[in-house]
């Protein structure tokens, strides 16, 4: 059983390392300064540990609200430390709810337009 | 530390969100995290936040290297910005 979790850990760390490497490469290209391998590994390790901290916080917040589902509200709480960050996360969350509403409208709207198209053909 | 399974799915969201955000609808809306369930919105927001974390770390390290007039971003530059980064998050 512990082998499975170890393997998952390894895969997760590799995934984080790969994504961090890509993001750092992009930023390095923008500013024409390369990141050494050590720095990429360090950022990946830090992100991995910080993710663990976030996940524990999210779980604690959801448990405090007597919910078994982690919400967007919990994520907004985790982002409360820096004002700019919390504003950014709030805007993103509003964007997401707006997208969901648009997708729902599109779902019903498509049916209507298909019906009118068929009527026109007939 | 089993909580970290969460990141695997977060990573998948980040990768696919970068390629095309119209795949949003095809995703499962919940994922199982031990006995907790994480909503789709929360996952996307967490992915965004982790992406910002990495970008902040990279940009701050790069600015530190620039201030010290170095060609490459080295581990010492990252070490110098790390405390403030952790306090900000």
């Amino acid at each position: 059983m512990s082998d499975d979790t170890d393997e998952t850990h390894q895969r997760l760390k590799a995934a984080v390392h790969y994504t961090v490497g890509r993001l750092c490469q992009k930023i390095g290209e923008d500013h024409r300064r390369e990141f050494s391998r050590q720095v990429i590994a360090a950022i990946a390790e830090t992100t991995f540990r910080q993710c663990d901290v976030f996940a524990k916080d999210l779980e604690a917040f959801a448990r405090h609200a007597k919910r078994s589902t982690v919400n967007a509200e919990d994520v907004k709480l985790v982002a409360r430390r820096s004002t700019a960050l919390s504003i950014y996360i709030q805007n993103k969350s509003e964007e997401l709810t707006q997208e969901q509403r648009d997708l729902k409208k599109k779902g019903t709207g498509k049916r209507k337009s298909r019906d009118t198209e068929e009527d026109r053909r007939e | 530390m089993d909580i970290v399974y969460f990141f695997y799915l977060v990573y998948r969201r980040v990768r696919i969100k970068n390629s095309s955000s119209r795949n949003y609808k095809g995703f499962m809306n919940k994922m199982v995290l031990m006995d907790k369930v994480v909503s789709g919105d929360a996952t996307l927001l967490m992915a965004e936040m982790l992406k910002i974390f990495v970008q902040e770390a990279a940009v701050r390290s790069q600015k530190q290297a620039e201030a010290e007039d170095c060609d490459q971003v080295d581990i010492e530059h990252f070490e110098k910005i790390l405390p403030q980064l952790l306090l900000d998050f």
Side-chain angles (χ1 to χ4, degrees):
Chain A
M1 283 286 273
S2 63
D3 286 340
D4 279 345
T5 47
D6 278 344
E7 199 197 306
T8 320
H9 270 241
Q10 295 302 321
R11 288 173 72 192
L12 283 166
K13 283 195 185 171
V16 172
H17 195 104
Y18 176 68
T19 314
V20 167
R22 268 179 45 199
L23 285 167
C24 283
Q25 199 188 28
K26 185 163 177 284
I27 293 180
E29 281 171 12
D30 288 345
H31 298 271
R32 260 176 283 155
R33 261 189 183 80
E34 277 182 15
F35 284 79
S36 73
R37 281 187 186 277
Q38 242 188 337
V39 170
I40 295 179
I43 298 180
E45 179 71 26
T46 313
T47 312
F48 195 76
R49 292 197 197 175
Q50 193 65 24
C51 180
D52 189 33
V53 170
F54 286 159
K56 289 203 180 113
D57 283 350
L58 286 174
E59 198 185 354
F61 292 158
R63 201 185 311 132
H64 177 72
K66 300 197 181 81
R67 275 187 266 118
S68 62
T69 311
V70 175
N71 252 353
E73 296 299 316
D74 299 328
V75 179
K76 286 184 203 170
L77 255 183
V78 169
R80 74 195 179 287
R81 285 253 165 82
S82 139
T83 331
L85 180 66
S86 75
I87 292 176
Y88 181 82
I89 294 289
Q90 277 175 16
N91 289 342
K92 263 286 165 194
S93 147
E94 281 170 20
E95 244 182 68
L96 280 172
T97 45
Q98 191 62 39
E99 254 185 55
Q100 276 181 341
R101 255 181 261 145
D102 288 346
L103 277 169
K104 274 189 188 168
K105 275 189 192 170
K106 235 187 175 180
T108 52
K110 255 189 185 170
R111 260 181 261 144
K112 282 185 197 164
S113 61
R114 250 186 251 156
D115 287 345
T116 52
E117 266 187 52
E118 284 174 9
D119 286 346
R120 269 187 232 150
R121 272 188 227 148
E122 283 172 18
Chain B
M1 281 294 269
D2 296 306
I3 295 167
V4 183
Y5 188 77
F6 155 80
F7 195 96
Y8 177 67
L9 298 142
V10 165
Y11 161 70
R12 279 170 66 197
R13 298 265 172 160
V14 168
R15 215 169 52 150
I16 289 155
K17 187 133 213 245
N18 281 337
S19 63
S20 126
S21 53
R22 291 191 68 225
N23 292 334
Y24 176 83
K25 202 177 176 191
F27 284 131
M28 54 183 180
N29 284 324
K30 295 185 176 186
M31 12 172 264
V32 179
L33 166 70
M34 286 166 73
D35 57 341
K36 286 261 181 301
V37 177
V38 185
S39 77
D41 274 358
T43 320
L44 284 162
L45 287 174
M46 267 322 286
E48 199 60 42
M49 205 159 114
L50 286 162
K51 192 172 131 194
I52 293 180
F53 182 81
V54 174
Q55 281 178 332
E56 274 297 301
V59 167
R60 287 186 195 187
S61 310
Q62 180 267 322
K63 287 248 156 68
Q64 182 67 31
E66 204 178 297
E68 292 184 15
D69 222 3
C70 291
D71 283 334
Q72 211 197 24
V73 184
D74 261 332
I75 191 74
E76 54 183 18
H77 306 133
F78 178 61
E79 282 174 3
K80 286 183 185 166
I81 56 102
L82 188 58
Q84 190 58 45
L85 178 72
L86 293 179
L87 285 170
D88 283 340
F89 274 84

